[in-house]
Amino acid sequence: MTKKLFAVVTLMLAGFTMAGSLQAQAEEKAATLKIEKPWTRVTPPGAKVAAGFVTITNTGSEPDRLVGATASLSKHVEVHEMSMNDGVMRMKEVADGIDIAPGATIVLKPGGYHMMFLELSASPKVGEPVKGTLKFAKAGELPVVFAVAPLGAKSIDSGGKMTGSQKKDEMDHGSHHMKH
């Protein structure tokens, strides 16, 4: 009986050690990515999509890639890129994600790379943060909380105040009806 108990305890300790080691590896991978200012903005009434933005810095020595995300108010999220082509603003999914080289910073912002929150179950509201995750090829899923800026905000810091050039250049995803 003593030998069986010893074997069970030894196996349990080995399992805890292995789980702890896997947790430490996951935390080490996550520690190589600095996530700053995840945010979204209020959408117009009836909008079925919203956009998410964030700044990510890879402080590690290995490349990683943002491959997806989740948001509590969306059925699914895609990584998108906006570009200007012959005077026309175009948006497309970045199916393979966005590479983040060691030491590099990527900024997901209005008019560039961003996350599209599709099939909204609720509209983002100022003062009601949106829980979600960012999904990385190597670091895995990291929890985030998206702050919510007012309708039309160009950054979480702007508080919705836009300059004349921002008003002229604004393209609000919330008012688009897109087929995916």
Side-chain angles (χ1 to χ4, degrees):
M1 173 89 168
T2 305
K3 286 184 180 181
K4 285 183 182 179
L5 180 60
F6 178 76
V8 168
V9 169
T10 301
L11 285 173
M12 286 175 59
L13 288 174
F16 289 138
T17 301
M18 192 165 98
S21 175
L22 291 174
Q23 177 67 27
Q25 288 174 359
E27 288 174 3
E28 183 178 316
K29 287 180 182 179
T32 65
L33 296 172
K34 183 178 177 185
I35 310 299
E36 297 179 281
K37 298 182 180 178
W39 68 283
T40 186
R41 57 187 169 198
V42 172
T43 58
K48 297 295 181 196
V49 298
F53 313 101
V54 66
T55 299
I56 305 166
T57 301
N58 183 345
T59 61
S61 58
E62 299 288 324
D64 208 337
R65 188 172 64 248
L66 175 65
V67 294
T70 65
S72 60
L73 51 61
S74 173
K75 283 192 180 178
H76 64 282
V77 178
E78 296 176 353
V79 178
H80 280 208
E81 178 181 22
M82 299 281 304
S83 61
M84 200 61 136
N85 189 351
D86 295 327
V88 176
M89 183 76 69
R90 300 194 187 274
M91 181 175 51
K92 66 177 181 174
E93 181 180 7
V94 183
D96 294 333
I98 304 170
D99 290 323
I100 314 168
T105 297
I106 61 167
V107 180
L108 281 67
K109 61 183 181 180
Y113 286 114
H114 59 278
M115 293 167 278
M116 286 301 302
F117 301 162
L118 304 167
E119 299 181 56
L120 296 179
S121 59
S123 297
K125 292 177 180 51
V126 173
E128 296 181 18
V130 176
K131 291 181 180 181
T133 62
L134 299 179
K135 298 177 183 181
F136 296 91
K138 292 184 180 172
E141 290 191 25
L142 303 180
V144 294
V145 177
F146 296 94
V148 180
L151 180 69
K154 288 302 209 177
S155 76
I156 193 63
D157 298 322
S158 72
K161 297 176 185 167
M162 295 183 289
T163 65
S165 65
Q166 287 175 324
K167 288 178 184 174
K168 178 181 155 197
D169 295 337
E170 180 181 318
M171 178 165 186
D172 184 5
H173 294 298
S175 63
H176 287 272
H177 299 283
M178 295 180 292
K179 293 183 180 179
H180 290 273

